[in-house]
Every structure is written in C-alpha cells, then in structure tokens.
Amino acid sequence: MYGKPARPVLLVIAHGSRDPRHAATVHALVERVRSLRPGLRVETGFLDFNVPSVHGVLESLAAEGVRDVVALPLLLTRAFHAKADIPAVLRGAPRGLRIRQAEVLGPSPLLLSALERRLYEAGLTPADKSSTGVVLASAGSSDPEAIAVIADIAREWWHTGWCAVRPAFASASLPRTEDAVGELRALGCERVAVAPYVLAPGFLPDRIARGAAEADVLADVLGPAPEVARLLLARYDRAGLPARTALGA
C-alpha cells in the first residue's frame, strides 16, 4: 500500500541584513508559519549577510534525499531580487531537486489587513480612519513595475475609508516619507500615520522611522503578523503540491 507523497519543503528566501533584528524577525515569522501548519517542513535561507545561505540549504536538502521544494521569496514586490537574484541562485541548485518558485507576497488583501493591524497596535482605531492620512512607506526600488504596484496599493487602501493614502520610498524613488507626511498635513488630514510596508527592521526601515518624526503615529514593520504568515502558506499552496485552494491571498 502506497503512502501519500511527501509535501514539498517550503524554503523561505530572505534578503539578509547586517542588522541582527532582520534575521530575528524572519525567524519569528517562520516559526509562526510552522505553528499554523504543523507537519510542514519550513526552512529559511538568506541571499546575503546571514546564514544559512540559500545554496547551503538546498545542498543539505538534496543530501537528505528531499526532491520537491517550493522556494518562496520573502519580498513584497517583484523587483530585481525576485526577477534575477533568486532565479539565478535556484538555477545553481543540486541536480535532482524539483524547485518551484512561488510568487512574491504582494500585493494581497492580507497585507492590507496586516498594515491596519500594525496601525491599530500603534494606537489608532477603526473610528480614526476617515480623519487619518496614511503614508504607505516602502523600501523603494529602481524597478518601475515595483513602484507602480506600491502606488496601486496606496490607491486601493485609500478606498477602504482613510482620509488619504500616499506612497513613499526610503530609497531609489520619491517622495520620501517626510515629504509624504507634509503633503498629508497640507491636505488637512486631522492626523498622519506612517505604515512601513516592509517585513523586517534594518537600514531602510530605520530611514522610514526617521522620516516619520513629524507624524502622529508610526506603525511597526509587518514582521510575524498572523496575516503575513497566512499569506506565506497561501503562496506555498498555490505553487506547491498537493494543490490546495488559496483563499484571501
């Protein structure tokens, strides 16, 4: 009698950072994913700065006899890392591994829910929405597709009832967080909140925080929010086997 085929290993691929808070946050998110799906093997690999490396994890999995892997970029937009860096690393994987690259996390309604969770944890309430302007502050990218996605997310989020939502970028693109805060003040929003559209602390999130000095509310990074963990599993389900229905992603 044949048993069920083993589920693919979920390999979460994070960028990595010299800032120790980055890896700690990634590991906390992965632990939450494991808690939501007991029995699913979840590994973490980093592109740079931290260990284990993506290639090192793939080599270890191959040596154990693992055959199926879903590689999930821990990224919010499809920019250079998702389009070039990660596929290049995966092409160098040991022979015998069947690897599917999952979609990046954003955009997703679950991320909007996580952003609102962080704003409410920082002191806002749902009753504040209509009088609060929000800066959707991302790391930034030189990729026009990624920039356009952030602008689309800001427009979509505004339609959920906020006074106004403006995108901002910590690098590569304009406006900066502090400029978007000033714009929302000029629009007449009663209060201004900054929502970092980033997954983990580090150099650019710190720049966002400095740019939020004149805001009334600064939310935390998305980190291991329950909605983010659920989104990782939805992306895994969509890319991997056995197929599942990925709702709310």
Side-chain angles (χ1 to χ4, degrees):
M1 186 171 181
Y2 296 101
K4 292 182 180 179
R7 287 180 290 182
V9 171
L10 170 55
L11 172 58
V12 176
I13 301 178
H15 183 275
S17 172
R18 293 186 178 90
D19 189 323
R21 298 174 297 167
H22 175 91
T25 302
V26 170
H27 290 311
L29 173 58
V30 168
E31 284 302 316
R32 186 178 285 272
V33 171
R34 290 187 180 117
S35 73
L36 291 176
R37 187 74 61 85
L40 174 63
R41 182 171 179 180
V42 187
E43 300 290 344
T44 308
F46 296 90
L47 291 174
D48 206 353
F49 302 116
N50 302 103
V51 292
S53 68
V54 176
H55 185 71
V57 174
L58 292 172
E59 285 191 328
S60 296
L61 292 174
E64 292 178 30
V66 170
R67 288 294 172 261
D68 290 299
V69 176
V70 170
L72 195 157
L74 199 59
L75 300 169
L76 296 174
T77 59
R78 255 184 60 80
F80 182 78
H81 293 303
K83 295 176 179 178
D85 284 354
I86 291 175
V89 172
L90 297 180
R91 283 194 296 270
R95 295 184 64 181
L97 281 178
R98 293 185 290 266
I99 302 175
R100 299 186 182 195
Q101 181 175 330
E103 299 172 12
V104 297
L105 299 180
S108 168
L110 286 169
L111 290 175
L112 291 182
S113 296
L115 286 165
E116 294 204 355
R117 170 189 292 275
R118 293 303 189 222
L119 285 171
Y120 297 149
E121 289 171 351
L124 293 179
T125 70
D128 296 323
K129 289 185 74 168
S130 63
S131 57
T132 301
V134 179
V135 178
L136 180 68
S138 75
S141 172
S142 58
D143 188 310
E145 178 187 347
I147 298 304
V149 166
I150 299 300
D152 288 344
I153 293 170
R155 282 191 291 270
E156 178 184 350
W157 203 15
W158 170 56
H159 287 301
T160 67
W162 296 100
C163 173
V165 180
R166 293 291 184 271
F169 307 95
S171 68
S173 306
L174 295 174
R176 296 285 183 255
T177 301
E178 54 268 32
D179 298 325
V181 169
E183 182 182 348
L184 291 172
R185 291 274 188 226
L187 280 175
C189 296
E190 186 175 316
R191 68 187 65 78
V192 175
V194 173
Y197 190 62
V198 293
L199 286 164
F203 177 76
L204 293 178
D206 284 349
R207 181 180 288 177
I208 290 171
R210 291 193 297 273
E214 298 301 319
D216 301 295
V217 174
L218 171 62
D220 200 357
V221 299
L222 295 170
E227 296 85 356
V228 179
R230 287 167 51 205
L231 180 55
L232 263 69
L233 289 171
R235 293 291 185 252
Y236 168 83
D237 290 339
R238 185 170 293 170
L241 297 171
R244 293 170 179 261
T245 302
L247 298 177

